[in-house]
Amino acid sequence: MSILIIEAFYGGSHKQLVDLLQEELEDCVLYSLPAKKWHWRARTSALYFSQNIPTSEHYRSLFTSSVLNLTELAALRPDLGKLKKILYFHENQLVYPVKKCQERDFQYGYNQILSCLVADVVVFNSIFNMESFLTSIGKFMKLIPDHRPKDLESIIRPKCQVIYFPIRFPDVSRFVPKHKAAHLQKILSLKGSGGVAPSMALPFQQEQRGSENLLKTFDSESGPCHAAQQDNLGCSVRQESDLKTFSSSDNSSTHRGEHQQSPCDVLAGADDQQRPLHIVWPHRWLEAVYCGCYPLCPKDLVYPEIFPAEYLYSTPEQLSKRLQNFCKKPDIVRKHLYEGEMAPFSWAALHGKFRSLLTAEPREDL
């Protein structure tokens, strides 16, 4: 139990991350609260955890998301305050969209700033997330009417680093066209440019372990992906079982020795130019691309950090024009091989960083 993981909002990407860490790293213990009533989790979870996490001499590091008010927990539990405290940002409240500015909204961003001051290491899931948070601190603190704290960005920045959200890519090779499956396996194994060496890149089958809940894919001919802002890189479009139905009707003929058709074969039966493209709106991008989608994203927020320029648009008019062109010439999408990188986002590439982060020695005064 050397690694204490605390998740005040145990759902979605938050759950996906801590489950992965708990499964892959030794000596982890997790304490969590259900993913509901987010505002109350941010307000009160520290007190709850302070009363419900048993004292232990075995803890060496504490990993938590920025939903938790780490400052309150460290004050209420000095024994936990002495641990190496790692704060992970899935999103940040300084730039998170709100319908209108209200006085109560200040507290959530303020809590995150205080948590950063108390943390030993602050980890963001993207450069955009980190820079948008750090560069907004000064402006955000000006909301305080007087006696404002100073130089907070310069205090917090040295603690900060970026570790992308890790994805354990499942085996989807039977659901995508062969040319795309081969290409995806190749780019996941590339060395250099932020990728991983072939010896480090896990085969599809190995990374499939524990990823059943992650595998939510769609038919192999899905067209351009278009979506709005999201705080991480995860997956959700269609359940694997939906795809299996494409071939279920052929089971009897397969038993008679006839060739079994894959979902891709069934979908390829119609005329390519007649079949419509499918536009999906995933909240889990690099999985969407991995499953065969062509990404089409705004040239804003985190997207330029993740995708090459050819997949970005600047205006709604550009988006409309691109979509019209794809609909007129669907082969552009169906035959396209993704030009960007995926390896830097795989658990195979990132597990060493997380292991080093979480297994470091505690503070000397522990």
Side-chain angles (χ1 to χ4, degrees), residues 58-71:
H58 298 290
Y59 299 139
R60 291 295 178 266
S61 59
L62 187 163
F63 180 90
T64 185
S65 73
S66 60
V67 174
L68 175 72
N69 189 325
L70 185 57
T71 308

Side-chain angles (χ1 to χ4, degrees), residues 13-28:
S13 61
H14 293 237
K15 181 179 186 300
Q16 183 178 328
L17 176 59
V18 298
D19 284 353
L20 177 60
L21 296 178
Q22 194 175 27
E23 291 169 12
E24 294 289 343
L25 302 178
E26 301 82 16
D27 298 327
C28 292

Side-chain angles (χ1 to χ4, degrees), residues 13-297:
S13 61
H14 293 237
K15 181 179 186 300
Q16 183 178 328
L17 176 59
V18 298
D19 284 353
L20 177 60
L21 296 178
Q22 194 175 27
E23 291 169 12
E24 294 289 343
L25 302 178
E26 301 82 16
D27 298 327
C28 292
V29 60
L30 170 65
Y31 289 91
S32 65
L33 285 169
K36 58 182 181 180
K37 302 184 185 301
W38 179 91
H39 297 88
W40 284 106
R41 297 292 185 254
R43 291 181 182 120
T44 66
S45 62
L47 178 58
Y48 171 83
F49 286 123
S50 72
Q51 294 182 334
N52 287 276
I53 297 177
T55 302
S56 173
E57 298 179 354
H58 298 290
Y59 299 139
R60 291 295 178 266
S61 59
L62 187 163
F63 180 90
T64 185
S65 73
S66 60
V67 174
L68 175 72
N69 189 325
L70 185 57
T71 308
E72 290 181 349
L73 182 65
L76 292 166
R77 287 287 301 270
D79 58 318
L80 301 182
K82 293 179 180 180
L83 304 179
K84 178 185 179 182
K85 297 174 293 300
I86 303 149
L87 186 68
Y88 192 88
F89 275 75
H90 293 260
E91 44 71 32
N92 77 78
Q93 290 299 310
L94 302 194
V95 298
Y96 199 84
V98 292
K99 293 182 179 180
K100 59 181 179 178
C101 184
Q102 302 178 57
E103 186 174 349
R104 66 177 177 85
D105 293 330
F106 177 83
Q107 194 63 39
Y108 304 118
Y110 184 67
N111 287 351
Q112 289 188 331
I113 293 173
L114 290 181
S115 293
C116 288
L117 292 171
V118 170
D120 297 295
V121 184
V122 183
V123 184
F124 293 85
N125 64 352
S126 69
I127 296 173
F128 169 80
N129 194 8
M130 180 177 72
E131 290 299 328
S132 66
F133 178 80
L134 292 173
T135 58
S136 297
I137 291 175
K139 180 181 178 181
F140 183 81
M141 297 304 286
K142 288 182 180 179
L143 294 172
I144 301 175
D146 56 11
H147 300 288
R148 301 180 187 116
K150 298 179 180 179
D151 303 321
L152 297 183
E153 178 185 349
S154 62
I155 296 171
I156 295 172
R157 184 176 284 276
K159 303 180 180 184
C160 296
Q161 60 179 277
V162 172
I163 303 182
Y164 287 110
F165 189 94
I167 302 169
R168 194 159 51 186
F169 290 106
D171 180 8
V172 297
S173 56
R174 59 195 174 119
F175 298 134
V176 298
K178 291 182 180 179
H179 69 289
K180 289 193 176 184
H183 179 69
L184 291 174
Q185 190 164 17
K186 178 182 178 181
I187 63 176
L188 276 175
S189 302
L190 285 178
K191 183 177 181 180
S193 301
V196 293
S199 60
M200 187 177 177
L202 298 180
F204 289 146
Q205 289 76 9
Q206 286 179 265
E207 289 219 340
Q208 187 178 14
R209 179 171 56 86
S211 61
E212 288 80 6
N213 292 331
L214 176 67
L215 181 56
K216 296 177 181 179
T217 123
F218 35 88
D219 72 72
S220 61
E221 302 301 337
S222 291
C225 305
H226 168 58
Q229 175 187 13
Q230 182 60 15
D231 58 340
N232 61 60
L233 314 170
C235 173
S236 72
V237 185
R238 184 181 297 175
Q239 295 289 347
E240 179 184 11
S241 58
D242 293 339
L243 289 173
K244 292 180 179 177
T245 60
F246 282 107
S247 57
S248 60
S249 61
D250 294 323
N251 286 344
S252 58
S253 62
T254 302
H255 291 309
R256 293 194 299 269
E258 298 179 15
H259 173 65
Q260 183 178 9
Q261 290 182 304
S262 71
C264 298
D265 295 331
V266 174
L267 288 166
D271 180 9
D272 278 353
Q273 298 301 319
Q274 296 299 319
R275 287 184 293 114
L277 292 175
H278 292 77
I279 300 175
V280 298
W281 190 298
H283 286 282
R284 309 293 191 180
W285 284 94
L286 281 164
E287 286 94 329
V289 173
Y290 173 76
C291 292
C293 269
Y294 184 108
L296 191 52
C297 317

Side-chain angles (χ1 to χ4, degrees), residues 292-311:
C293 269
Y294 184 108
L296 191 52
C297 317
K299 193 176 183 179
D300 195 9
L301 306 170
V302 73
Y303 300 113
E305 181 181 341
I306 300 171
F307 297 109
E310 67 176 285
Y311 302 111

